Amino acid sequence: MKILLLAPTSGSWKKAARSKFFNGRTFRFSLLSLLSVAAETPQNVTVRIVDEQVEEIPWQEKFDLVGITCMTALAPRAYEIAAGFRERNMPVILGGMHPTLCPEDACLHADAVLVGDAEGIWEQVVADVRNGRLQKIYRNSSPPSLAGLKSIPRYLLDRSAYSTINAVQATRGCPNACEFCAVSAFHKQTQRRRPVEEVVAEISQIPDKFFMLVDDNLTADAEYAARLFRALAPLQKLWGTQAAISIADDPELVRLAAEAGCIGLFIGIETFSEANLNGVAKTCNRVEKYREAIRLFHSYGIAVEAGIVFGFDNDRMTVFQNTLRLLDELEIDMIQASIFTPLPGTKRYTDMQARIIDRDWVNYDFHSVVFQPKHMSAADLQAGHDWITCEFYKPWRIIRRLWRHAKRPRSLAAMPYLAVVNMAYYGRVFNWNIRGFNPAETRKIQVAIPECNRAELLQQVKMN
Ligand code: B12
Ligand code: SF4
């Protein structure tokens, strides 16, 4: 029996994959979703993983089952590919974020849909294919335990095509209830954790120095995180992960993370407006604590990538210029600027139905406006997001950030990481030619964005 597991790609990601320079390799890592499904596949089945960013789809080959993973923005491409294989008489199953949050949509385009985690149910899917009785929907009756997960077959990937294939997960989900978050919707505001010794055993098998913990909120359970960090420290590896900014409420935990080799944190700062945070129930962020938290991370040489979102209901045209000033003020090392996106399956999607102006999933890529903002036009929101992205990654700002980082204590370990990611973002913004990321256009936009006064601004956002 032969199974193909496929990761689709589209839009600018596809373009980047095809171009010779700035090919997006830095941002390409993991594929842990498909690797986890492959790990669960019985030994006597041949599994092939194809990442459309890396290689062509093997249309001419014959498979007994084709499994496709997809996020919302990639759903249309996943459906297109599914149609291609079904025309060739090969059954298709869809799984991952979008099929789980929108099974009724996914069901229209596939022979079967797997809702939620694959562990605990994938073996049944394989058995059903073998017996010719594939069902329409598969889901575990309750989320499977993460103890005793099978070993991840990273050898199925061409490692030269990825910045790292060393993606590991210690926990799944997040207990918080931020109303815009797909993770919260997928995992129903819960977090499951793997036994610390199993995570450490997996990481100790990785031959490289660097790995990524692709958890959603690694430090949600501080006691678990502390145990994990203590156990990781002797391995002397370097790693980055995502955590809520509230990790800084526990300076001892930050110290343990640094001693365990943490060199980078992706933090969902989202906005500098308390009203915006309250509007989406992101209660783990408090604007007045941002500065203290970032200083703490920096004091351990940990680089901070901030997730910043524009288009919240209290955002006005001043938000772009103000946010750039505040990011500079906090010495944030990298940003991932996004446009607010009401993702299907989340509370915000339901609440914002009347304001949604674009229902093409392709545009649910966090860089396009799909709803009517409250205090600006959709075009202004798009322009402001494009403007700040270009401004933040201008070469002089990147050099200043590297210089500032170099002056911090323990900065050496994170320096290459910081430089590579900043340069990769530069390449992405200025060379991928992503829609909206046109430097000539953004120069014009700058004129329309109001200037702001530093002291007034700090007082206004109550950031001490
Ligand atoms: C690591 C990561 C990335 C990495 C690597 C992605 C990759 N290709 O592996 C990078 C940085 C490249 C990335 C990029 C993006 N990401 Co991302 N990413 C993640 C993150 C943090 C972890 C994913 C992961 O590896 N999970 C671990 C695995 C084991 O869990 P899993 O994916 O749920 O898989 C299990 C089940 O879902 C199921 N399953 C999954 N796929 C399949 C397929 C089949 C056939 C079957 C049967 C089962 C199955 O089985 C698995 C095992 O149980 C998630 C958050 C999350 N919790 O998922 C966001 C997340 C998936 N990303 C998201 C987004 C929006 C993006 C971007 C669009 C961001 C942007 N603006 O650029 C891009 C899109 C990239 C692209 N076009 O390809 C959103 C998706 C929201 C949505 N509803 O669509 C998420 C949920 C983050 C969030 N909080 O909103 N991402
Ligand atoms: S803290 Fe982060 S991962 Fe958790 S629900 Fe909120 S946005 Fe999602």
Side-chain angles (χ1 to χ4, degrees):
M1 187 175 181
K2 240 171 104 181
I3 295 181
L4 171 67
L5 296 176
L6 202 143
T9 191
S10 64
S12 55
W13 289 80
K14 191 170 197 164
K15 222 185 283 169
R18 302 280 185 274
S19 78
K20 235 178 171 176
F21 302 103
F22 299 111
N23 65 4
R25 187 172 170 271
T26 309
F27 297 110
R28 195 181 310 129
F29 57 86
S30 177
L31 279 205
L32 195 56
S33 316
L34 291 183
L35 286 170
S36 304
V37 178
E40 291 297 311
T41 309
Q43 296 277 319
N44 55 359
V45 175
T46 306
V47 179
R48 175 163 171 206
I49 292 186
V50 167
D51 179 347
E52 206 190 359
Q53 275 190 44
V54 173
E55 56 183 310
E56 299 294 335
I57 296 174
W59 292 114
Q60 304 316 327
E61 256 179 78
K62 191 80 194 141
F63 298 96
D64 298 290
L65 179 66
V66 177
I68 309 176
T69 187
C70 69
M71 308 176 190
T72 300
L74 291 168
R77 179 61 186 149
Y79 298 163
E80 212 171 78
I81 298 171
F85 279 108
R86 292 174 88 195
E87 267 166 30
R88 291 168 174 81
N89 293 321
M90 287 179 250
V92 173
I93 182 164
L94 295 169
M97 235 340 129
H98 188 75
T100 294
L101 295 176
C102 266
E104 65 293 347
D105 182 41
C107 269
L108 300 174
H109 303 273
D111 300 282
V113 171
L114 191 147
V115 175
D117 287 4
E119 293 83 0
I121 193 120
W122 178 245
E123 284 196 37
Q124 190 196 326
V125 175
V126 176
D128 286 355
V129 171
R130 225 189 266 278
N131 299 323
R133 45 157 209 246
L134 190 65
Q135 298 162 40
K136 195 75 194 175
I137 290 261
Y138 289 86
R139 73 174 95 211
N140 283 297
S141 49
S142 57
S145 153
L146 298 185
L149 290 187
K150 304 219 173 67
S151 145
I152 297 293
R154 295 189 174 82
Y155 57 83
L156 289 174
L157 300 182
D158 166 10
R159 64 181 297 143
S160 67
Y162 298 87
S163 57
T164 176
I165 55 167
N166 305 327
V168 178
Q169 238 191 357
T171 66
R172 272 188 204 167
C174 172
N176 298 342
C178 308
E179 292 176 0
F180 59 88
C181 181
V183 169
S184 172
F186 185 107
H187 294 280
K188 302 199 167 49
Q189 298 158 29
T190 62
Q191 187 181 57
R192 282 165 295 144
R193 292 168 275 276
R194 294 174 64 194
V196 164
E197 55 289 1
E198 291 184 17
V199 180
V200 174
E202 180 179 344
I203 293 167
S204 59
Q205 297 296 311
I206 291 175
D208 308 316
K209 178 98 176 152
F210 182 75
F211 69 93
M212 296 288 284
L213 279 163
V214 295
D215 296 48
D216 302 304
N217 183 358
L218 180 64
T219 54
D221 178 338
E223 187 274 327
Y224 172 87
R227 270 194 297 124
L228 177 67
F229 297 159
R230 283 197 186 95
L232 281 178
L235 302 184
Q236 303 214 325
K237 303 255 186 195
L238 299 176
W239 51 273
T241 193
Q242 302 189 90
I245 196 159
S246 47
I247 178 187
D249 295 343
D250 186 347
E252 173 62 6
L253 193 57
V254 178
R255 184 184 68 79
L256 289 174
E259 282 174 5
C262 177
I263 55 168
L265 283 177
F266 182 95
I267 304 268
I269 295 245
E270 325 295 6
T271 170
F272 287 88
S273 152
E274 285 288 341
N276 280 340
L277 292 170
N278 294 336
V280 292
K282 179 125 189 176
T283 51
C284 56
N285 284 23
R286 291 282 66 101
V287 178
E288 82 261 14
K289 289 185 166 182
Y290 284 177
R291 190 195 293 272
E292 198 188 325
I294 306 299
R295 277 191 183 147
L296 180 65
F297 304 140
H298 282 163
S299 73
Y300 287 107
I302 297 174
V304 179
E305 177 168 358
I308 300 289
V309 178
F310 296 100
F312 284 109
D313 282 352
N314 286 282
D315 286 348
R316 291 173 163 75
M317 276 312 276
T318 45
V319 73
F320 306 107
Q321 182 71 260
N322 289 357
T323 304
L324 185 63
R325 289 286 283 270
L326 293 164
L327 292 168
D328 281 345
E329 176 81 21
L330 288 179
E331 302 190 11
I332 295 292
D333 304 291
M334 295 152 285
I335 60 164
Q336 195 183 96
S338 305
I339 290 174
F340 187 90
T341 304
L343 286 171
T346 64
K347 181 166 185 308
R348 292 307 285 162
Y349 182 72
T350 314
D351 292 351
M352 289 172 72
Q353 275 307 304
R355 291 164 64 192
I356 293 182
I357 54 175
D358 187 342
R359 293 186 187 269
D360 184 348
W361 297 139
V362 167
N363 296 323
Y364 286 60
D365 61 354
F366 287 32
H367 297 307
S368 313
V369 185
V370 298
F371 71 101
Q372 178 54 54
K374 269 233 163 108
H375 301 294
M376 60 183 96
S377 68
D380 279 345
L381 174 54
Q382 181 74 57
H385 155 272
D386 300 347
W387 172 82
I388 196 170
T389 308
C390 291
E391 280 300 315
F392 190 84
Y393 287 107
K394 285 212 163 131
W396 69 266
R397 270 207 170 82
I398 294 181
I399 293 165
R400 186 174 70 176
R401 285 200 289 273
L402 294 178
W403 174 244
R404 282 175 169 172
H405 178 76
K407 289 193 294 181
R408 290 176 199 142
R410 313 188 200 193
S411 63
L412 211 57
M415 187 52 108
Y417 170 76
L418 196 69
V420 167
V421 177
N422 266 288
M423 288 313 294
Y425 268 116
Y426 172 83
R428 180 167 165 181
V429 173
F430 293 100
N431 294 282
W432 282 21
N433 278 330
I434 301 175
R435 175 168 56 88
F437 286 79
N438 179 343
E441 281 296 312
T442 52
R443 233 168 277 132
K444 277 188 256 158
I445 297 158
Q446 198 168 3
V447 181
I449 293 178
E451 270 295 334
C452 61
N453 171 291
R454 176 180 174 271
E456 273 174 26
L457 177 60
L458 290 179
Q459 204 178 15
Q460 186 191 316
V461 299
K462 297 192 176 56
M463 201 178 76
N464 44 41

